[in-house]
Amino acid sequence: MTNVSLATITITNLRLRTYIGFNPEETTKLQDVVINIRIQYPAEKAAATDNVESALNYKTITKEIIQHVEEGRFLLLEKLVGDVLAICTTHPWVRYASVTVDKPHALRFADSVSLTLEEYRDEQ
């Protein structure tokens, strides 16, 4: 097993609007969601060479997430989080990803409700 330096990309508080929920009001009204993402990938080559092609492009990943969330309709928070996680783990370099989506004001007396899903991959 090699000694691998993993980079952690953190996307903090990506604020989007989408249709989320199954109550009648939720299916007709856009709601805010707040997405937090952590992605880890081996970055020793990018760190050593300063070559763009050796780095994971977080801008491309974020653009795909924005499009998917804003154009989508989701009954369950689990489906939304699962879809975002799938986008984050599409690239074969990704070793680990974690996605948390907050749904602000989903419950009375609570700031938000959130759900987190994670995916781990063995060294490839």
Side-chain angles (χ1 to χ4, degrees), residues 41-57 93:
Y41 77 99
E44 59 273 318
K45 188 173 181 183
T49 65
D50 200 27
N51 181 347
V52 174
E53 298 301 316
S54 299
L56 192 63
N57 190 332
W93 293 350

Side-chain angles (χ1 to χ4, degrees), residues 13-16 20 31-36 77 80-81 99-106 111-116:
N13 294 337
L14 179 61
R15 298 174 193 281
L16 303 175
I20 177 79
Q31 295 182 66
D32 295 326
V33 292
V34 181
I35 302 173
N36 286 281
L77 200 50
L80 172 57
V81 177
V99 173
T100 300
V101 176
D102 282 88
K103 187 177 170 184
H105 313 294
D111 291 339
S112 70
V113 171
S114 65
L115 181 90
T116 302

Side-chain angles (χ1 to χ4, degrees), residues 77-98:
L77 200 50
E78 288 84 348
K79 173 64 172 156
L80 172 57
V81 177
D83 286 1
V84 173
L85 183 62
I87 292 167
C88 292
T89 56
T90 298
H91 199 288
W93 293 350
V94 174
R95 298 278 177 82
Y96 165 82
S98 173

Side-chain angles (χ1 to χ4, degrees), residues 5-37:
S5 173
L6 292 179
T8 301
I9 296 170
T10 304
I11 301 168
T12 306
N13 294 337
L14 179 61
R15 298 174 193 281
L16 303 175
R17 295 181 58 77
T18 192
Y19 294 96
I20 177 79
F22 49 85
N23 294 326
E25 182 180 313
E26 294 174 318
T27 61
T28 60
K29 182 181 172 189
L30 284 168
Q31 295 182 66
D32 295 326
V33 292
V34 181
I35 302 173
N36 286 281
I37 299 166

